[in-house]
Amino acid sequence: MAAAAQAAVWLLDAAGLAAADPGPWLARLGASERQRYQRFIRDERRRQFLLGRMLLRQAACALLGLPPDAFTVEERIGQAPLLQLVGGGAAPYFSLSHSGPWIACAISRGTPLGLDIERIDPARDLAALAQQAFSAQESAALLALPEPRRSAAFFSLWSRREAEYKLGQTTSASHCYFLPHPQLSIAVCAAVPLAPTLHAIAALD
């Protein structure tokens, strides 16, 4: 049996960065990234975008042992951004996600992957959301569960579906893994067996 592909999920708690000056981070964006950054209307969404791009660079640097200026990121309309190595070479695969103050980046040399994080919030109308997002059978099974199992199961299924969508695979064709966290549902999926690890940080280099 082939060894599982290695992957790292970097998780940033950005709550403590709310007052940080974005200027140094903005200076590190490429031209297409700056254009997209300016198109966001809400400040919160701008910040999520910016921190996600910085987290991607930090994860890529740690994975390959290269400095930040060894990478460029190109925005693509209707597609995920493209990470490239300056001077050529194979860049790692990655997937980004955010939920509230949390920003996450999954990265791997070995395989494409999809990542989704969701804050576990039992106060949301889970019944209405389940009816909109899931099949009638899935919704009934979720609503039959007692709390707090219902919330955990709902957000696990939600994050898995989002991660599979980003990966571009159906449920039967993907391998999905959940990383434990007290506040989040974290799902990472790949088309091959995966060995994901979690790196939680509260600041950016």
Side-chain angles (χ1 to χ4, degrees):
M1 180 180 296
Q6 299 297 310
V9 176
W10 287 70
L11 179 65
L12 171 65
D13 180 0
L17 301 178
D21 177 12
W25 297 327
L26 286 171
R28 296 169 63 184
L29 294 180
S32 63
E33 291 177 298
R34 286 194 294 270
Q35 291 173 0
R36 186 175 177 195
Y37 173 85
Q38 294 296 338
R39 288 197 295 269
F40 289 112
I41 296 174
R42 294 191 297 118
D43 289 341
E44 179 185 16
R45 187 64 191 92
R46 279 187 173 189
R47 196 163 191 84
Q48 287 172 335
F49 172 84
L50 180 59
L51 294 176
R53 292 302 185 269
M54 296 304 103
L55 185 61
L56 169 59
R57 285 165 167 81
Q58 184 164 328
C61 289
L63 180 67
L64 300 181
L66 295 173
D69 59 4
F71 306 94
T72 63
V73 181
E74 179 184 349
E75 294 298 317
R76 300 183 294 174
I77 297 175
Q79 300 181 68
L82 180 65
L83 180 67
Q84 297 176 301
L85 286 174
V86 175
Y93 303 98
F94 73 94
S95 182
L96 295 167
S97 184
H98 61 80
S99 185
W102 299 94
I103 313 292
C105 174
I107 192 163
S108 174
R109 278 178 160 175
T111 183
L113 32 70
L115 169 72
D116 188 64
I117 63 172
E118 299 291 339
R119 284 186 297 178
I120 299 173
D121 183 3
R124 298 182 69 180
D125 190 345
L126 301 186
L129 289 171
Q131 290 174 356
Q132 293 177 4
F134 308 136
S135 69
Q137 183 177 4
E138 290 169 334
S139 297
L142 285 171
L143 297 179
L145 293 173
E147 286 290 359
R149 289 178 57 200
R150 182 188 305 167
S151 296
F154 172 89
F155 286 104
S156 292
L157 183 56
W158 183 287
S159 58
R160 174 175 182 152
R161 290 290 168 78
E162 289 292 319
E164 288 175 330
Y165 175 79
K166 293 179 181 179
L167 175 64
Q169 297 282 341
T170 63
T171 302
S172 60
S174 62
H175 299 261
C176 290
Y177 305 84
F178 296 94
L179 302 180
H181 192 275
Q183 300 179 49
L184 299 171
S185 176
I186 306 173
V188 56
C189 299
V192 300
L194 200 63
T197 57
L198 182 64
H199 301 271
I201 61 174
L204 291 167
D205 290 344

